[in-house]
């Protein structure tokens, strides 16, 4: 069966994926650049093309809460947000994974205020990386559609929520050809959501999410049940299991739909690369042009794209990077007072690895600042020069920054 | 329908040995609330005294489904549960009951509650109003009465409490009621009536708190009744916009007898100790004006 190819924005691709996943409850609050996702879903619910409950809540905090409530009673749920909206729902961004609910949320990456800025960087989703969600980054609109469908399979297998991150405006509002799988293909890939046990049933009442003590404690039968740390350790284990489940899901999706995205990482011209440029999201697509240009200048450069940021694919990165000279990480976010989050995570994962490359970081594209393949190539040449000058570590290189004057 | 206390169902979904304080009004009321819903319900509860009453993992003290949620999110969680039940074809199986304290309702939870009320979501929201953040150690809330000393109003709160039922009425929801945990039959009847109505039903329940208010646990019911006799707490309901006094408040209005002065009520609790006469007078004036308005509305006047 051949896909139906349409030209659509990233937001429309996300909405289409939610429709194909047959989401049952959608809750959302408007924020640029996410709003078109839920506007589209609201229209489909209104027209009857999508059979779902659409709850037009009064805030992002409530959007995630509605997903939490609906998911708890066994409905497949969806929401989307950006930037301050994600920050506003942060309390519930922690609640959802702690409660082990398989919610899928698209985060249309946008800069954090203050000052106000509606354009793209990745500070919003990076700021909640520790909350216990799977975080997947997309490089184009096709990947947004396919990843959002895959996200439900991953979430429901592991009982952890999945955040599908894609760049605001660069993808959310940019039209691209997108192949839309048939409902039959998606149904074959994604079975209906069923909770493993019914948590809300008056005939078998349970207290969901009560106070849990630090230490294990006996239940009414005398059997000892885990305390807070055991519950968190199981949650952590589920995230680590995602390192296997994400590629498996991608392979299953490839078998059902005919497209694969590489699972945890993706690469371009990496085989013999000595200099590896690393990024998450659409910046990776730009880096493919950069390395092609660098190769024309005789630099053996390649791209390693981060698809899964949480869980962080430590082993896969070690395998791909051992023996290279330089790993240059481009972050569209910063841990203020330190460096880019992907950069520091990557450096940590390289410690003690034989033949590990030098890891340098660059900050770029904050608040929608343009980053061209030429800017990126220039940054790569600077990094190579620093390395050749003997540097093994270096301060973050701010690309295209104009502080003077 | 008025149920006599002796006719209340002899059933309890609240198990013995729960973790509420001695004399806690919530425990009295929760038994009637769950009985009125015959256990065919799912509760959602934010961080509050009720969370403590519900027990600590892996032991629960209430024998109905119960979903704990974050502090500001009770009404949104109930909206989500109701939407999820509809989406999975189970909406007829159980009533969704959101139950939160005064701070969780009128302060941090008011945004989600207002949103849910505007959407007329299909659940019962019951606020047990013990007039301060009791679970965290008696800090003032927006519903703490004037004059009350709390751990954040050491000299007594200066402001009168906000009128949440009236705010809820302004949303045009089908049912708003005010009740008291000291009147179990009134609680039972109002929850029973709410059960038969579709849409957002709001019940505000005054809930005496021995530890936070400073009185002997044996006096919970006595003080709850005294509050009604002063007119500080008024039992009423507003069904599809029609207001009527109920129970003891209706009898009090009908009798035409003078209400008990608020000073008598204030004198029973250590939280009001040291209140100046002018502050007491101010509370009395506030209560008198409110009472006159309730009586007028009961007689058919528009508010």
């Amino acid at each position: 069966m051949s896909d139906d190819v349409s030209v659509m924005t990233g937001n429309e691709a996300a909405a289409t994926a939610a429709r194909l996943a047959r989401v049952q409850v959608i809750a959302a609050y408007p924020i640029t650049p996410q709003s078109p996702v839920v506007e589209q879903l609201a229209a489909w619910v209104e027209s009857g093309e999508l059979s779902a409950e659409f709850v037009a809540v009064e805030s992002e905090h409530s959007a995630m809460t509605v997903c939490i409530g609906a998911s708890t009673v066994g409905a497949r749920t969806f929401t989307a947000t950006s930037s301050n909206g994600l920050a506003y729902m942060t309390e519930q961004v922690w609640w959802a994974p702690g409660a082990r609910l398989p919610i899928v949320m698209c985060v249309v990456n946008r800069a954090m205020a203050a000052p106000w800025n509606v354009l793209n960087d990745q500070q919003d989703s990076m700021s909640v990386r520790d909350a216990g969600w799977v975080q997947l980054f997309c490089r184009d609109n096709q990947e947004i559609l396919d990843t959002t469908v895959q996200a439900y399979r991953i979430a429901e297998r592991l009982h952890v929520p999945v955040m599908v991150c894609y760049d605001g405006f660069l993808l959310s509002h940019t039209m691209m050809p997108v192949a839309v799988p048939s409902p039959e293909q998606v149904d074959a890939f994604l079975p209906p959501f069923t909770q493993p046990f019914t948590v809300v049933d008056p005939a078998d009442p349970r207290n969901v999410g009560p106070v849990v003590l630090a230490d294990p404690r006996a239940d009414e039968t005398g059997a000892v049940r885990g305390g807070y740390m055991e519950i968190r350790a199981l949650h952590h284990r589920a995230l680590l299991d995602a390192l296997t489940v994400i590629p498996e899901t991608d392979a299953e999706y490839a078998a059902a739909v005919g497209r694969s995205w590489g699972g945890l990482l993706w690469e371009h011209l990496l085989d013999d690369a000595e200099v590896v440029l690393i990024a998450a999201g659409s910046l990776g697509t730009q880096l493919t042009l950069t390395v092609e240009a660098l190769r024309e200048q005789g630099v053996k450069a390649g791209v390693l794209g981060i698809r899964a940021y949480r869980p962080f694919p430590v082993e896969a990165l070690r395998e791909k990077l051992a023996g290279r000279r330089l790993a240059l990480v481009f972050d569209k976010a910063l841990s203020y007072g330190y460096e880019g989050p992907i950069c520091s995570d990557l450096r940590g994962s390289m410690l003690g690895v034989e033949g590990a490359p030098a890891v340098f970081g660059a900050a770029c594209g904050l608040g929608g600042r343009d980053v061209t393949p030429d800017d990126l190539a220039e940054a790569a040449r600077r990094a190579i020069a620093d390395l050749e000058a003997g540097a093994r570590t270096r301060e973050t290189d701010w690309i295209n920054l104009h502080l003077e004057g | 329908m008025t149920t006599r206390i002796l006719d209340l169902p002899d059933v309890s979904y609240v198990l013995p040995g729960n973790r509420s304080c001695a004399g806690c009004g919530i425990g009295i009321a929760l038994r009637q609330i769950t009985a009125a819903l015959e256990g065919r319900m799912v509760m959602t509860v934010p961080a509050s005294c009720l969370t403590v009453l519900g027990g600590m993992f892996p032991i629960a003290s209430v024998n109905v489904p119960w979903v704990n949620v974050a502090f500001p999110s009770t009404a949104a969680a109930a909206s989500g549960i109701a939407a999820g039940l509809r989406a999975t074809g189970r909406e007829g199986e159980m009533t969704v009951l959101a139950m939160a304290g005064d701070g969780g309702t009128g302060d941090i939870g008011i945004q989600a509650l207002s949103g849910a009320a505007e959407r007329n979501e299909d659940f019962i929201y019951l606020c047990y109003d013990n007039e301060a953040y009791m679970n965290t150690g008696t800090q003032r809330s927006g519903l703490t009465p004037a004059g009350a000393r709390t751990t954040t109003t050491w000299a007594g709160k200066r402001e009168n409490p906000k009128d949440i039922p009236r705010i809820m009425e302004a949303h045009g929801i089908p049912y708003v009621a005010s009740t008291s945990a000291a009147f179990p039959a009134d609680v039972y009847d109002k929850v029973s009536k709410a059960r038969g109505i579709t849409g957002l039903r709001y019940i505000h329940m005054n809930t005496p708190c021995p530890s936070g208010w400073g009185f002997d646990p044996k006096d919970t019911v006595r003080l709850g009744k005294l509050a009604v006799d002063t007119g500080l707490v008024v039992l009423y309901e507003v069904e599809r916009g029609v207001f009527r006094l109920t129970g003891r408040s209706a009898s009090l209005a009908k009798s035409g007898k003078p209400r008990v002065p608020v000073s008598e009520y204030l004198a029973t609790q250590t939280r009001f100790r040291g209140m100046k006469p002018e502050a007491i007078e101010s509370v009395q004036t506030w209560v008198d004006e409110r009472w006159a308005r309730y009586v007028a509305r009961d007689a058919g006047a528009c508010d």
Side-chain angles (χ1 to χ4, degrees), chain A residues 68-85:
Chain A
I68 287 167
S71 187
T72 303
V73 298
R76 184 173 282 164
T77 61
F78 177 81
T79 189
T81 191
S82 296
S83 181
N84 285 52

Side-chain angles (χ1 to χ4, degrees), chain A residues 215-303:
Chain A
D215 291 327
R217 189 165 182 249
D219 68 13
E220 74 284 4
T221 68
V224 174
R225 307 292 179 193
Y228 185 87
M229 274 192 82
E230 285 70 30
I231 289 168
R232 285 305 188 176
L234 292 172
H235 177 193
H236 180 61
R237 200 172 286 173
L239 262 283
L240 295 181
D241 287 346
L243 292 168
T244 316
V245 169
I246 293 166
E248 279 175 10
T249 303
D250 191 54
E252 287 167 17
Y253 189 80
V257 175
R259 266 186 308 280
S260 167
W261 294 95
L264 304 169
L265 303 169
W266 60 272
E267 59 188 70
H268 182 73
L269 303 179
L270 192 70
D271 280 353
D272 63 341
E274 295 173 352
V275 174
V276 182
L277 309 187
I278 296 162
S282 67
L283 192 58
T285 310
Q286 284 181 281
L287 286 176
T288 61
L289 301 177
T290 303
V291 297
E292 284 166 16
L294 286 170
R295 279 186 179 261
E296 280 174 21
Q297 295 158 9
V299 180
K300 283 188 179 170
V303 181

Side-chain angles (χ1 to χ4, degrees), chain A residues 55 69 103 128 166 176 178 210 224 277 290 311 322 343 352 369 374:
Chain A
V55 187
I103 295 163
V128 292
Y166 59 90
M176 296 177 195
V178 174
V224 174
L277 309 187
T290 303
C343 181
R369 174 65 55 88
D374 284 348

Side-chain angles (χ1 to χ4, degrees), chain A residues 24-25 52-53 55-63 65-76 88 91-92 95 198-213 217-220 223-227 231, chain B residues 19 39-42 51-52 54-88 90 93-94 108 111-116 118-119 121:
Chain A
Q24 294 166 297
V25 174
E53 295 285 326
V55 187
V57 288
E58 82 304 324
S59 72
E60 288 89 354
H61 195 284
S62 287
T65 307
V66 165
C67 289
I68 287 167
S71 187
T72 303
V73 298
R76 184 173 282 164
Y88 193 60
E91 180 181 30
Q92 304 303 62
W95 195 282
T198 304
V199 293
V200 173
D201 180 3
D204 181 18
R206 290 161 192 270
N207 188 326
V208 182
V211 176
V212 175
L213 295 176
R217 189 165 182 249
D219 68 13
E220 74 284 4
V224 174
R225 307 292 179 193
I231 289 168
Chain B
R19 303 177 63 89
R40 290 178 57 201
M41 58 185 293
V42 48
T51 321
V52 176
M56 290 190 293
F57 183 78
I59 292 173
S61 69
V62 181
N63 213 12
V64 296
W66 175 313
V67 180
N68 291 281
V69 295
F71 208 178
S73 70
T74 319
S79 303
I81 290 169
L85 290 173
R86 277 197 303 279
T88 54
R90 296 199 290 151
E93 290 177 21
M94 61 194 105
I108 198 169
Q111 174 178 312
L113 177 57
S114 177
E118 183 269 329
R119 298 190 303 272
E121 296 280 355

